[in-house]
Amino acid sequence: MPDQHSLSTAGLLALDRQHVWHPYGPMPGRQEPLVVASAAGVRLRLGAPAHGREELVDGMSSWWSAIHGYNHPVLNDAVTAQLGRMSHVMFGGLTHEPAVRLAAKLVEITPDGLEHVFLADSGSVSVEVAVKMCLQYWRSAGRSGKTRLLTWRGGYHGDTWQPMAVCDPEGGMHELWSGQLPRQVFADAPPGGFDSPVDPAYTAHLRSLIAAHAHELAAVIVEPVVQGAGGMRFHNPGYLRVLRELCDEYDVLLVLDEIATGFGRTGALFAAGHAGITPDVMCLGKALTGGYLTLSATLCTARVAEGISRGEVPVLAHGPTFMGNPLATAVALASVELLLSQDWAVEVKRIEAGLLEGLAPAAALPGVRDVRVLGAIGVVQLDHEVDMAAATRAAVREGVWLRPFRDLIYTMPPFVTGDADVARICRAVRAAAQEG
């Protein structure tokens, strides 16, 4: 095989096609990916021009993680400084400053009552850990029949086993596995609209399900305010307060999956803040490290941790090899501190205003069912399945990277995206909607 530095773009793509299996794609792939040579700020520089473009504005924050953009000097310095001390050390029986300081910072900024932090490698694993915590909590309490989870339809929680079980089994990305996965309890999808009033009939629906299954429910798990990859749908935060009250009433734990919504994306630091509630368990990931390295965190209350510690097996039997990785925790701490050092809420509100203005004309396009914006999230929903290849080409011609899926063309840009680039992203979304 030739040295990697001598590969032409064509040679790189040939090897990619031969060996590399891309997410949610066949092997070999049917669509040729774009080669990214470098990235800085909000721009991806391509290895070879595509549709006349040598660089693209990133409208996706690399799947919602790169909130500060790319090659940020503060985050670069954090990684470089930590690399000079140690890149990794096992977390079993050892600890280190970056992980301890990060855990303390997360406890400080998340809703009151979340006191304990379990660090893992990815968002999906953080959900696995959350489910394990809830199941073990009830087993430790002598109520081993409480093993099922309740969620609402339209959700997405990851691609490993337990997270797949609480993704929508009808039309969701993991419908293929519905016969093999644990059978969970599904409520109807919450009524759409962040500002729509709470529907008493839907509240009654949630109550009836939780009441009927309380004896076997370990937890309710939902994405708060925004359902992400399951459909990019927004709902009234009041439904989170309803869930908190019902879980308390019927003795069920509440898990909030904030992997996509955490760290300011919806206009609140955490989406739970829109409702003013504290879950029993919270999952964090994606923007946790500013898009630099893979890391997640599962936070829980003292009630959950102490309940597990009183059980027949008083430990949480989970230990990823790279748990608490020093490089990842160092850059995560730097990313969180960088976010908090700035008026991030003003920046998110500025992007929201730009998306509202720039995407509004899409509502008049043929085939567009809905246009919606919340925080630094903009969504155009079509009345048909997106032609991904055509929509992507249209966006690239406008100088923007987007990744449509299902019937959705959406953007979640980095918080450092300037007004001109937000407007460019909106033009690209409209172009993709017309072509897709």
Side-chain angles (χ1 to χ4, degrees), residues 235-427:
H235 56 261
N236 189 309
Y239 295 117
L240 304 179
R241 289 190 289 271
V242 168
L243 287 177
R244 180 69 279 176
E245 293 165 3
L246 292 174
C247 285
D248 289 341
E249 181 178 349
Y250 290 100
D251 208 10
V252 177
L253 298 176
L254 177 62
V255 180
L256 293 187
D257 176 351
E258 293 246 20
I259 294 163
T261 55
F263 304 102
R265 180 58 68 177
T266 69
L269 189 57
F270 298 98
H274 288 296
I277 66 164
T278 297
D280 300 289
V281 183
M282 176 184 280
C283 300
L284 302 177
K286 289 194 181 293
L288 176 58
T289 68
Y292 268 60
L293 289 163
T294 181
L295 181 72
S296 66
T298 307
L299 289 82
C300 72
T301 61
R303 172 196 176 190
V304 173
E306 291 168 5
I308 291 171
S309 297
R310 287 193 296 266
E312 56 182 308
V313 179
V315 301
L316 184 65
H318 205 91
T321 300
F322 291 96
M323 179 178 178
N325 173 261
L327 286 177
T329 51
V331 77
L333 180 63
S335 177
V336 173
E337 290 180 338
L338 177 62
L339 179 68
L340 298 177
S341 72
Q342 304 167 344
D343 201 340
W344 61 267
V346 168
E347 293 305 298
V348 171
K349 181 59 72 174
R350 174 185 60 80
I351 292 172
E352 181 181 57
L355 294 175
L356 283 166
E357 180 181 359
L359 295 182
L365 295 176
V368 170
R369 173 182 294 171
D370 188 38
V371 177
R372 49 190 181 268
V373 173
L374 178 66
I377 308 170
V379 183
V380 173
Q381 185 172 12
L382 307 181
D383 61 9
H384 58 276
E385 192 87 4
V386 175
D387 182 334
M388 184 183 290
T392 301
R393 281 195 304 270
V396 170
R397 283 196 293 266
E398 295 291 334
V400 174
W401 173 247
L402 299 173
R403 184 68 171 172
F405 74 103
R406 288 174 40 173
D407 57 350
L408 302 166
I409 300 169
Y410 75 100
T411 179
M412 295 173 81
F415 298 166
V416 295
T417 307
D419 291 342
D421 283 335
V422 171
R424 179 188 287 267
I425 289 170
C426 291
R427 290 196 298 272

Side-chain angles (χ1 to χ4, degrees), residues 28-301:
R30 299 192 185 106
Q31 295 180 12
E32 190 171 88
L34 301 181
V35 176
V36 178
S38 63
V42 300
R43 282 171 163 72
L44 309 176
R45 186 174 67 81
L46 303 180
H51 303 290
R53 299 290 183 174
E54 295 184 350
E55 65 177 24
L56 303 175
V57 174
D58 179 17
M60 304 303 295
S61 300
S62 279
W63 268 337
W64 328 340
S65 63
I67 56 174
H68 306 295
Y70 299 92
N71 231 339
H72 196 290
V74 171
L75 304 190
N76 287 359
D77 288 348
V79 175
T80 302
Q82 183 56 45
L83 189 62
R85 291 187 286 269
M86 60 180 170
S87 61
H88 183 59
V89 65
M90 66 184 290
F91 215 50
L94 302 174
T95 196
H96 51 81
E97 184 177 349
V100 173
R101 290 183 60 201
L102 175 64
K105 178 61 69 173
L106 293 178
V107 168
E108 176 187 333
I109 66 175
T110 51
D112 290 344
L114 294 169
E115 299 289 339
H116 307 291
V117 183
F118 191 97
L119 298 167
D121 345 47
S122 70
S124 183
V125 175
S126 77
V127 175
E128 295 278 3
V129 171
V131 172
K132 184 179 286 188
M133 282 180 176
C134 295
L135 297 178
Q136 191 167 343
Y137 172 84
W138 292 114
R139 185 184 180 103
S140 297
R143 301 175 68 182
S144 56
K146 289 172 75 70
T147 60
R148 298 184 74 188
L149 306 171
L150 183 145
T151 189
W152 44 39
R153 293 191 179 277
Y156 172 82
H157 298 276
D159 298 336
T160 54
W161 206 244
Q162 287 286 5
M164 286 198 302
V166 284
C167 296
D168 197 328
E170 295 181 10
M173 285 190 282
H174 302 305
E175 184 177 6
L176 172 68
W177 301 104
S178 58
Q180 286 76 45
L181 293 167
R183 297 185 62 184
Q184 311 297 7
V185 180
F186 287 87
D188 295 340
F194 181 83
D195 295 318
S196 298
V198 171
D199 181 356
Y202 186 73
T203 296
H205 169 62
L206 292 175
R207 173 177 288 278
S208 66
L209 274 180
I210 293 173
H213 295 276
H215 65 286
E216 60 178 347
L217 286 181
V220 171
I221 177 170
V222 297
E223 299 159 282
V225 176
V226 178
Q227 292 182 290
M232 303 303 297
R233 300 174 73 251
F234 310 151
H235 56 261
N236 189 309
Y239 295 117
L240 304 179
R241 289 190 289 271
V242 168
L243 287 177
R244 180 69 279 176
E245 293 165 3
L246 292 174
C247 285
D248 289 341
E249 181 178 349
Y250 290 100
D251 208 10
V252 177
L253 298 176
L254 177 62
V255 180
L256 293 187
D257 176 351
E258 293 246 20
I259 294 163
T261 55
F263 304 102
R265 180 58 68 177
T266 69
L269 189 57
F270 298 98
H274 288 296
I277 66 164
T278 297
D280 300 289
V281 183
M282 176 184 280
C283 300
L284 302 177
K286 289 194 181 293
L288 176 58
T289 68
Y292 268 60
L293 289 163
T294 181
L295 181 72
S296 66
T298 307
L299 289 82
C300 72
T301 61

